Amino acid sequence: MLSNLKPQAADKILMLIEEFKADTRQGKIDLGVGVYKDPQGVTPVMRAVKAAEQRIWEAQTTKAYTSLAGAAEYRNAMANMVLGEVPGDRLASVASVGGTGAIRQALELARMANPDLTVHVSNPTWPNHLSIMKFMGLPVQQYRYFDSETRGVDFDGMKADIAKAGKGDIVLLHGCCHNPTGANLSMEQWQEVVAILEKTGAVPMIDIAYQGFGDGLDADAAPTRLVASSLPEVLIAASCSKNFGIYRERTGILMALAENTAARDLSQGAMAFLNRQTFSFPPDHGARIVSTILTDAELRADWAAELEDVRNTMLGLRSQLASELRELSGSDRFDFIAHHRGMFSRLGATPEQVEKLKTDSAIYMVGDSRLNIAGLNRDTVPVLARAIIDAGI
Ligand code: LMR
């Protein structure tokens, strides 16, 4: 039986981790997978996470099951962090296995509710979005998003394309810090998107994996809050991997905002059922770390301060890179790097140029020229800037 399996294409992002490890050159630079690294190249355990783990270790008296939906303290704390004001009469939620698990469960839920749906995704989007949808056999339509000339959002193209979504279709939106481009909508543009969705009756599904990495915790959640308070139905997949730095704990949440309390209860039941079918109880350790931090004023303040340092470090690297490139190229054509937000920027280089960066300069980025800003430090920025110019980008 097993010999009937077909080889699977390697994930474009994850394969870079292995390639990078195997490269023996001194001074190699990893700008591939979206993991934060401090100036010493370390992905640290955040202070508040360490403190919360210690408290949990000391206080926890049992490892018995929680509930299929996950711990209520965690779900409440996350709803509060993402939504601000929580519309309890409309909100169903379950803890998930990371943000990816929430995305998968959201799509399963949507398909249970509407077997004929099409999912509309930005072009480009996180490659694993497309991979999951293909694996599930869901029809996918890409909407225009990135303008490769300006490296900003092709908003007219986006509006025209999402207006074609049908009632009960899903429109997948990145809540903040668009992955892979780093180009984001303004709040005015979000308002226009909401008006279009309202007209079409398509349901927004928001993937928010980088809250706190763009303009700040509340600013990054503002588009999600706008959508949640304006439209009758919204699905939200949130991840704690990046903003709590707990990547391997696989901590995420799926929230569904329903039109009324009866639909909320149906959603809650379906989401718990989906957890049971997939992995039964969701993992608890990461969720407990998050709820311990978010419900304790001191830990929360320390976590928010450290997250703010991470965000400012990335902004500093963005400005430094843009200004090095301004100098070397004698033009402002790389200024978009300073305007993008989040972990990533899409450079707009060809696959050959990306390959050249790897071969000539041991600089690794995803083939579509997405670079992870957090993989840089003040010393490697000039090296990257020089290599970008030398590669003819
Ligand atoms: C990324 O886009 O690099 C991250 O979300 C990590 C991943 O799982 O792909």
Side-chain angles (χ1 to χ4, degrees):
M1 175 195 78
L2 294 177
S3 51
N4 293 332
L5 289 169
K6 304 211 166 36
Q8 300 296 324
D11 182 281
K12 280 194 236 161
I13 297 174
L14 303 185
M15 68 192 256
L16 278 179
I17 301 178
E18 298 311 318
E19 261 190 81
F20 181 78
K21 267 195 218 149
D23 191 329
T24 51
R25 285 175 287 177
Q26 285 287 322
K28 58 185 180 174
I29 302 174
D30 179 12
L31 308 178
V33 69
V35 169
Y36 175 76
K37 294 198 192 110
D38 68 14
Q40 288 72 44
V42 175
T43 303
V45 180
M46 294 177 87
R47 294 183 301 264
V49 168
K50 272 277 182 216
E53 282 188 308
Q54 179 145 14
R55 281 192 202 179
I56 294 165
W57 182 77
E58 277 160 8
Q60 197 164 51
T61 52
T62 180
K63 295 277 186 193
Y65 291 127
T66 53
S67 81
L68 282 181
E73 307 91 274
Y74 167 68
R75 293 183 291 121
N76 292 338
M78 282 300 289
N80 183 276
M81 184 180 103
V82 177
L83 294 171
E85 279 189 24
V86 180
D89 51 339
R90 295 175 53 213
L91 178 68
S93 67
V94 287
S96 61
V97 184
T100 307
I103 291 163
R104 176 66 190 265
Q105 301 297 61
L107 293 169
E108 295 283 3
L109 181 77
R111 181 163 62 180
M112 276 168 88
N114 177 14
D116 300 322
L117 63 79
T118 294
V119 188
H120 300 257
V121 298
S122 61
N123 183 11
T125 192
W126 183 47
N128 205 30
H129 283 150
L130 295 170
S131 179
I132 292 171
M133 290 164 199
K134 185 170 167 218
F135 180 65
M136 290 175 69
L138 290 170
V140 173
Q141 194 70 48
Q142 293 195 309
Y143 59 82
R144 279 168 282 173
Y145 186 81
F146 190 63
D147 181 334
S148 44
E149 283 300 309
T150 63
R151 269 80 155 186
V153 178
D154 170 7
F155 192 54
D156 287 336
M158 176 182 182
K159 282 193 293 186
D161 290 349
I162 62 171
K164 292 182 203 141
K167 188 172 160 59
D169 277 356
I170 290 286
V171 176
L172 177 55
L173 300 156
H174 297 225
C176 63
C177 308
H178 186 268
N179 179 7
T181 68
N184 297 291
L185 300 177
S186 67
M187 279 311 279
E188 290 71 31
Q189 290 173 326
W190 274 101
Q191 253 145 9
E192 290 190 54
V193 167
V194 165
I196 294 170
L197 293 174
E198 198 161 23
K199 217 161 160 189
T200 59
V203 178
M205 171 176 156
I206 300 183
D207 179 359
I208 179 159
Y210 297 89
Q211 188 183 346
F213 272 40
D215 291 309
L217 268 174
D218 284 322
D220 290 348
T224 304
R225 293 174 188 174
L226 171 75
V227 175
S229 61
S230 311
L231 295 172
E233 294 189 331
V234 184
L235 301 179
I236 302 164
S239 168
C240 300
S241 297
K242 322 282 177 352
N243 46 14
F244 288 85
I246 50 172
Y247 304 85
R248 64 175 65 167
E249 300 296 352
R250 310 312 300 135
T251 308
I253 186 167
L254 168 61
M255 294 183 260
L257 285 164
E259 205 162 3
N260 52 43
T261 309
R264 175 203 65 186
D265 292 345
L266 286 171
S267 308
Q268 186 64 48
M271 285 153 65
F273 170 81
L274 280 170
N275 272 7
R276 181 68 168 156
Q277 304 320 302
T278 321
F279 43 74
S280 207
F281 294 84
D284 179 74
H285 185 69
R288 204 155 290 270
I289 292 170
V290 168
S291 61
T292 303
I293 293 171
L294 292 179
T295 56
D296 180 279
E298 211 177 301
L299 286 184
R300 187 179 180 128
D302 189 43
W303 163 73
E306 193 170 353
L307 178 59
E308 197 56 10
D309 286 345
V310 163
R311 188 176 80 80
N312 285 322
T313 302
M314 289 190 294
L315 283 181
L317 291 166
R318 284 188 177 280
S319 321
Q320 191 195 348
L321 181 58
S323 90
E324 294 271 352
L325 284 164
R326 202 174 305 133
E327 198 136 297
L328 288 177
S329 69
S331 82
D332 58 6
R333 67 196 167 92
F334 291 102
D335 279 11
F336 65 88
I337 294 171
H339 303 138
H340 283 169
R341 283 293 177 274
M343 237 180 191
F344 308 115
S345 268
R346 182 183 258 205
L347 265 187
T350 63
E352 293 73 31
Q353 288 167 327
V354 172
E355 198 54 37
K356 194 167 160 54
L357 286 173
K358 193 197 297 178
T359 324
D360 295 357
S361 313
I363 294 174
Y364 286 73
M365 64 181 70
V366 184
D368 65 358
S369 73
R370 182 193 86 168
L371 64 99
N372 173 15
I373 296 290
L376 290 165
N377 60 47
R378 299 201 73 77
D379 299 331
T380 52
V381 165
V383 179
L384 172 65
R386 181 77 260 162
I388 285 175
I389 299 299
D390 290 348
I393 297 166

